[in-house]
């Protein structure tokens, strides 16, 4: 059974309400039909009802809820709430009212106000356009200082991680995390591994040094992040700083990090910055033929996920199922 089969089963276990703000987009509409048909989530599409109906010709969207942000009764109370949330940042009531005509902001407000459990967008909008409203309005989960991302990597071989399954974080959001942010990325990645892939997390904080083998301020940052994460989650199996071979290979771990409960058997790899994380996951995907599921956003108080603009209908269905399982947790 693949990870996505498990995610689909979990999603069906408790139906969550997922809002898709790009309601007139063709792949999104096909995905909405498939999601409801497969019982993965209840879908809310945002947009002008006539425009959605026209774009959805031939699809059965009878079980999908359609909301037009500019005509909906929630427009005014949402605008008022948005103004209250953002007035300290200089937002005026007029600006808040205008933003409630924007499906991306309306969708995020639905999640914020508990009228949806999660949001998925990005088939049309860029990563920044998708993330910014969520970062501004939903904010981080309690105790987590940054929103970050991870990939579930499914390797063709079973030698590393948990039978070939590993979590890689952060590969998509934070270009240059501080030690505190790196610790948050570690905690969030461990949580995602547990919730979505059923892993008992063993977290390796990666570096070009293992346990002081090299001296550099970048190494110090990873060691400090490890200390902060251990303090925040004393029950979590986490160790660092570790080189990738020491994290993954038992024989190397025995030499470089003897006594570590994580080295040699890590199933969550935390990269020290976005350059290494983004390059790392793409190398493993391309050179090792791994399936890379993600990026999965984590650390937001309520789940919002970003699609690639090149996504397929199946990609959208997968990300909605992932978002639904995050919302259950
Ligand atoms: N966690 C929590 N909050 C954040 C984060 C974060 N990681 N980043 C920004 N914010 C908050 C800010 O505090 C700010 O809040 P405020 O307005 O209440 O003060 C708000 O979000 C907007 O902040 P900006 O600094 O204006 O954020 P920006 O517009 O730069 O967008 C973004 C943030 C989009 C995540 C940016 O950091 C980014 O572009 N990251 C890299 C994305 C990327 O290119 N990834 C690689 C490709 S993806 C792939 O290959 C799979």
């Amino acid at each position: 059974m693949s990870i996505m089969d498990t995610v689909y089963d979990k999603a069906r276990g408790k139906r969550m309400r997922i809002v898709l703000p790009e309601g007139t987009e063709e792949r999104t509409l096909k995905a909405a039909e498939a999601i409801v048909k497969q019982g993965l989530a209840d879908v809310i599409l945002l947009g002008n009802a006539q425009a959605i109906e026209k774009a959805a010709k031939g699809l059965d969207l009878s079980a999908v809820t359609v909301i037009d942000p500019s005509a909906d009764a929630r427009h005014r109370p949402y605008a008022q709430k948005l103004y209250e949330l953002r007035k300290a940042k200089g937002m005026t009531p007029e600006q808040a009212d205008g933003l409630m005509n924007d499906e991306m902001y309306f969708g995020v407000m639905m999640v914020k106000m508990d009228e949806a459990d999660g949001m998925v967008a990005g088939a049309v909008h860029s990563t920044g356009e998708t993330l910014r409203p969520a970062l501004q309005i939903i904010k981080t989960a309690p105790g987590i200082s940054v929103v970050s991302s991870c990939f579930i990597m499914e390797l063709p071989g079973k030698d590393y991680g948990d039978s070939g399954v590993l979590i890689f974080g952060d590969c998509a959001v934070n270009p240059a995390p501080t030690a505190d942010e790196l610790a948050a990325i570690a905690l969030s990645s461990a949580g995602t591994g547990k919730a979505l892939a059923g892993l008992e997390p063993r977290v390796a904080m990666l570096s070009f040094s293992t346990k002081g083998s090299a001296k550099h301020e970048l190494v110090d940052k990873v060691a400090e992040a490890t200390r902060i994460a251990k303090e925040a989650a004393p029950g979590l199996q986490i160790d660092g700083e570790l080189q990738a071979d020491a994290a993954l290979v038992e024989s190397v771990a025995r030499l470089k990090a003897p006594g570590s409960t994580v080295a040699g058997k890590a199933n969550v790899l935390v990269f020290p910055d976005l350059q290494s994380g983004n390059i790392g996951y793409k190398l493993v995907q391309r050179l090792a033929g791994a399936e890379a599921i993600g990026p999965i956003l984590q650390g937001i108080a309520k789940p919002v996920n970003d699609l690639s603009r090149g996504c397929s209908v199946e990609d959208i269905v997968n990300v909605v199922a992932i978002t639904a399982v995050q919302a259950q947790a």
Side-chain angles (χ1 to χ4, degrees):
M1 201 166 174
S2 76
I3 295 288
M4 279 318 299
D5 290 335
T6 311
V7 168
Y8 274 42
D9 276 355
K10 282 190 186 169
R12 284 190 195 100
K14 188 176 174 210
R15 286 271 274 268
M16 295 284 123
R17 301 158 302 170
I18 306 299
V19 59
L20 305 179
E22 295 161 330
T24 51
E25 197 277 323
E26 196 186 323
R27 290 159 298 169
T28 303
L29 288 164
K30 287 183 179 159
E33 183 189 46
I35 292 157
V36 173
K37 209 170 175 179
Q38 294 177 52
L40 297 171
D42 292 332
V43 173
I44 304 161
L45 286 173
L46 299 186
N48 176 275
Q50 275 138 21
I52 291 178
E53 203 181 314
K54 195 170 160 209
K57 261 213 159 41
L59 298 174
D60 177 11
L61 297 182
S62 52
V64 167
T65 303
V66 172
I67 294 174
D68 180 348
S70 52
D72 193 77
R74 280 163 281 209
H75 183 105
R76 193 177 281 271
Y78 277 10
Q80 177 61 29
K81 178 75 181 173
L82 178 62
Y83 167 63
E84 279 163 25
L85 289 170
R86 299 296 295 171
K87 64 183 173 193
K89 296 278 171 183
M91 188 175 283
T92 64
E94 293 73 27
Q95 284 169 334
D97 192 65
L99 282 174
M100 279 308 106
N101 293 322
D102 178 334
E103 285 86 7
M104 301 296 276
Y105 275 84
F106 193 92
V108 163
M109 282 304 290
M110 286 195 78
V111 178
K112 174 78 182 170
M113 303 300 279
D114 276 333
E115 295 190 27
D117 302 304
M119 178 172 118
V120 173
V124 179
H125 294 83
S126 69
T127 297
E129 288 164 343
T130 302
L131 278 188
R132 215 165 286 119
L135 297 174
Q136 290 173 346
I137 296 166
I138 302 179
K139 302 272 178 194
T140 51
I144 296 289
S145 57
V146 277
V147 170
S148 61
S149 74
C150 72
F151 280 85
I152 302 174
M153 303 296 291
E154 271 191 293
L155 293 156
K158 307 276 177 210
D159 294 345
Y160 301 111
D162 278 19
S163 301
V165 175
L166 289 131
I167 304 294
F168 282 17
D170 170 7
C171 306
V173 179
N174 295 282
T178 62
D180 192 48
E181 290 169 348
L182 210 46
I185 292 166
L187 300 182
S188 295
S189 302
T192 301
K194 206 169 184 167
L196 290 178
L199 301 181
E200 201 42 63
R202 296 180 297 276
V203 184
M205 304 294 281
L206 296 184
S207 173
F208 58 85
S209 164
T210 298
K211 302 283 184 182
S213 64
K215 305 277 176 231
H216 194 278
E217 63 194 50
L218 292 174
V219 175
D220 295 341
K221 183 174 84 174
V222 178
E224 173 64 1
T226 310
R227 190 194 64 71
I228 296 167
K230 275 185 178 165
E231 200 174 287
L236 180 66
Q237 288 197 69
I238 178 165
D239 205 0
E241 82 289 353
L242 295 170
Q243 287 161 287
D245 56 353
L248 293 169
V249 184
E250 290 269 16
S251 58
V252 179
R254 278 195 292 276
L255 288 172
K256 292 187 173 181
S260 169
T261 56
V262 169
K265 40 187 166 307
N267 54 16
V268 178
L269 302 185
V270 176
F271 292 85
D273 61 20
L274 191 52
Q275 305 252 30
S276 53
N278 192 268
I279 293 166
Y281 103 80
K282 285 181 194 286
L283 287 179
V284 175
Q285 181 185 36
R286 298 289 167 180
L287 300 182
E291 189 177 349
I293 301 167
I296 300 164
L297 291 178
Q298 51 188 14
I300 313 186
K302 291 179 179 178
V304 172
N305 274 303
D306 179 35
L307 298 161
S308 157
R309 275 174 283 180
C311 64
S312 63
V313 173
E314 192 191 351
D315 292 334
I316 302 175
V317 176
N318 284 344
V319 176
V320 166
I322 285 169
T323 308
V325 174
Q326 287 179 306
Q328 291 169 354

